[in-house]
Amino acid sequence: ILKKLTLFMIPVLGALILQAAYGAVDLLVVGRFGTTAGLSALSTGSQVLNLVTFVVTQFAMGITVLIARYIGEKKMNSIGALIGGATVVFAIISAVLFVVMISLATPISSLMQAPQEALSLTATYVRICGAGIFFIVAYNLLSAIFRGLGDSKSPLLFVAVACVINIVGDLVLVAGLHLDAAGAAMATVFAQAISVVFALMLLFKRKLPFKITKHDFKINPHCVRALKIGLPLALQECLTQISFLALCAFINRLGLEASSGYGVACKIVNFAMLVPSSLMQSMASFVAQNVGAGDEKRAKHAMFTGMGIGLSIGVVVFILVLFKGDLLTSIFTTEKAVILQGYAYLKGFALETIVTAVLFSMVGYFNGHDQTVWVMVQGLIQTLLVRLPLAYYMSIQPHASLTNIGLAAPIATIVGIILNVCFYIYLSKKMKKENA
């Protein structure tokens, strides 16, 4: 299991690293060649884009899990209808997001309490990303399809192409033409568009074990089943990301330097969370196939193997973030005050790099069992009852510290682990009774 899970996980991790590099390169180039207001706009605007991207990714998890389940059950004929129906649903989602992000860019930026100096730039960033939302949604749907088919390498290839294009675009539009945060948004959208074209070319060239006909492109029982799996995850992710937007708004009230420092810290956090995130995505597909094949023992073994992998890497990342966080933040900006503010947040956040490895392995295991309603419930408890209230309380203290605000994340995750251990015990007993 260790070898198979690792081989499947590495390309997923690689794709996530390159996706994180999108934002990191944007921040790096704007931090070096743009303005402090542009850096703040990118920080706030990217939080909005993350909300959309992560929610769509979790929605698409239902597609991944169901394709893997059909493969395990040898129901190849159902996959074409699932993909066709999912395409229609995600096209509708794209159209709604397009209208909302284009027409409400300024109110969204104001709601985020973007600093006044960066408000116009933030709205522009959100509007440009909204214009290219079809490509962003399509990319995540295609990635979900490939991973459900057991192919984690192809998404790595087309995101690698997009990452290179994004870097070139940032250098031309931000460093060369001085378009600041707007240039970074344009580069991101263009890169995603190319990645979608490349992904479609790879999909059409493959010898697929199923057929997709024009009659499959309608809302059907297969895509409804996938939506039932993905919807709780998407709802949970939506509320979680809204909590991050609220956290961003709390910190924006502390001033331009705190806002920019938090934005820099978030890019480092994105990289720190890559291993747990890749474990969760890989675990869902790996467990779903084994559950479909009736091998529950192997599914449980995979979860504990994932925890071991995550913890061994998490300890190293924890030490790096806690003791060298200022060095990491200085990669993105030369502003000393911004560097110190970013490092302050990382000190509080550091423990999250360890505890998330345990939590995300369990979440991936539950996703693979279609227990997505539970995943939603435990996620909402962490977010709405622990992380957000604690972060808000810390932000309104006299001389509020980003370190104390950062502590809210690992505390919420520890609560989540306790909840998931209880549910794991309950689920194990339930499955024993059903098999008795």
Side-chain angles (χ1 to χ4, degrees):
I1 288 178
L2 176 62
K3 183 180 178 181
K4 286 190 175 182
L5 184 60
T6 303
L7 288 174
F8 188 86
M9 188 190 89
I10 287 174
V12 175
L13 176 60
L16 289 174
I17 288 172
L18 291 175
Q19 276 187 292
Y22 269 85
V25 169
D26 287 349
L27 202 74
L28 178 63
V29 177
V30 172
R32 298 284 176 177
F33 300 100
T35 62
T36 303
L39 196 60
S40 177
L42 181 60
S43 169
T44 305
S46 63
Q47 292 288 331
V48 177
L49 185 60
N50 284 346
L51 165 64
V52 173
T53 303
F54 292 151
V55 168
V56 169
T57 300
Q58 291 303 312
F59 216 170
M61 182 66 74
I63 311 298
T64 299
V65 168
L66 198 52
I67 289 175
R69 181 68 62 85
Y70 284 156
I71 290 173
E73 295 172 349
K74 311 295 184 187
K75 295 180 179 178
M76 298 299 181
N77 293 334
S78 300
I79 297 176
L82 169 60
I83 293 174
T87 302
V88 174
V89 170
F90 278 81
I92 295 170
I93 292 171
S94 299
V96 173
L97 289 171
F98 175 83
V99 173
V100 170
M101 293 178 73
I102 292 287
S103 60
L104 300 178
T106 300
I108 289 170
S109 303
S110 298
L111 188 63
M112 289 288 295
Q113 297 191 24
Q116 195 61 40
E117 308 94 314
L119 183 61
S120 176
L121 275 173
T122 305
T124 300
Y125 184 93
V126 172
R127 196 171 287 113
I128 292 170
C129 291
I133 199 66
F134 290 96
F135 302 116
I136 294 169
V137 171
Y139 163 75
N140 284 284
L141 175 60
L142 287 163
S143 294
I145 292 170
F146 276 105
R147 290 184 184 124
L149 293 170
D151 179 3
S152 58
K153 294 178 182 177
S154 293
L156 174 61
L157 288 175
F158 53 76
V159 78
V161 171
C163 194
V164 172
I165 293 168
N166 186 60
I167 292 171
V168 174
D170 278 337
L171 292 174
V172 172
L173 297 172
V174 181
L177 299 178
H178 304 290
L179 294 178
D180 216 1
M186 292 176 194
T188 297
V189 168
F190 184 67
Q192 290 278 22
I194 298 299
S195 72
V196 168
V197 173
F198 190 62
L200 288 171
M201 288 171 58
L202 284 177
L203 189 63
F204 290 140
K205 285 184 178 180
R206 285 183 60 139
K207 291 183 178 179
L208 298 171
F210 57 89
K211 290 183 179 180
I212 304 176
T213 67
K214 63 180 181 180
H215 301 293
D216 292 325
F217 289 93
K218 61 184 179 181
I219 296 176
N220 54 53
H222 299 286
C223 77
V224 171
R225 183 182 174 188
L227 292 180
K228 286 180 180 178
I229 298 171
L231 187 58
L233 297 178
L235 178 59
Q236 180 229 326
E237 189 65 35
C238 180
L239 293 174
T240 299
Q241 290 301 319
I242 287 173
S243 79
F244 286 134
L245 295 184
L247 176 58
C248 185
F250 299 159
I251 292 172
N252 280 347
R253 292 187 305 178
L254 303 180
L256 196 61
E257 291 171 350
S259 170
S260 298
Y262 174 68
V264 169
C266 281
K267 296 307 175 187
I268 295 165
V269 165
N270 288 345
F271 279 102
M273 292 294 100
L274 290 177
V275 170
S277 296
S278 61
L279 275 169
M280 181 171 65
Q281 290 189 24
S282 304
M283 193 72 65
S285 180
F286 195 89
V287 168
Q289 283 199 26
N290 282 286
V291 170
D295 196 343
E296 177 57 36
K297 184 178 179 181
R298 188 173 173 83
K300 287 184 177 180
H301 191 179
M303 180 183 71
F304 290 111
T305 303
M307 287 182 188
I309 295 170
L311 286 171
S312 60
I313 297 172
V315 171
V316 176
V317 177
F318 168 78
I319 294 170
L320 182 63
V321 169
L322 185 63
F323 296 106
K324 295 294 181 182
D326 55 342
L327 184 64
L328 296 173
T329 53
S330 67
I331 294 171
F332 296 97
T333 180
T334 55
E335 295 283 341
K336 191 169 183 180
V338 175
I339 291 170
L340 292 176
Q341 290 281 14
Y343 185 28
Y345 182 81
L346 291 175
K347 286 177 183 176
F349 180 87
L351 182 61
E352 179 80 345
T353 60
I354 295 176
V355 293
T356 303
V358 176
L359 178 69
F360 279 21
S361 292
M362 299 187 81
V363 167
Y365 172 80
F366 294 136
N367 284 341
H369 278 83
D370 291 359
Q371 297 293 333
T372 52
V373 173
W374 164 251
V375 171
M376 177 186 70
V377 170
Q378 62 86 36
L380 295 183
I381 291 172
Q382 288 180 64
T383 300
L384 302 181
L385 300 184
V386 184
R387 184 189 298 120
L388 199 55
L390 190 56
Y392 176 73
Y393 175 76
M394 294 298 185
S395 73
I396 61 174
Q397 298 305 301
H399 310 293
S401 163
L402 288 190
T403 299
N404 291 338
I405 294 173
L407 272 171
I411 291 172
T413 298
I414 291 168
V415 171
I417 290 171
I418 295 169
L419 292 172
N420 280 290
V421 167
C422 294
F423 186 75
Y424 174 77
I425 294 169
Y426 160 77
L427 190 64
S428 296
K429 288 181 179 179
K430 182 181 177 183
M431 285 190 290
K432 278 184 181 179
K433 284 183 181 179
E434 289 174 351
N435 296 328

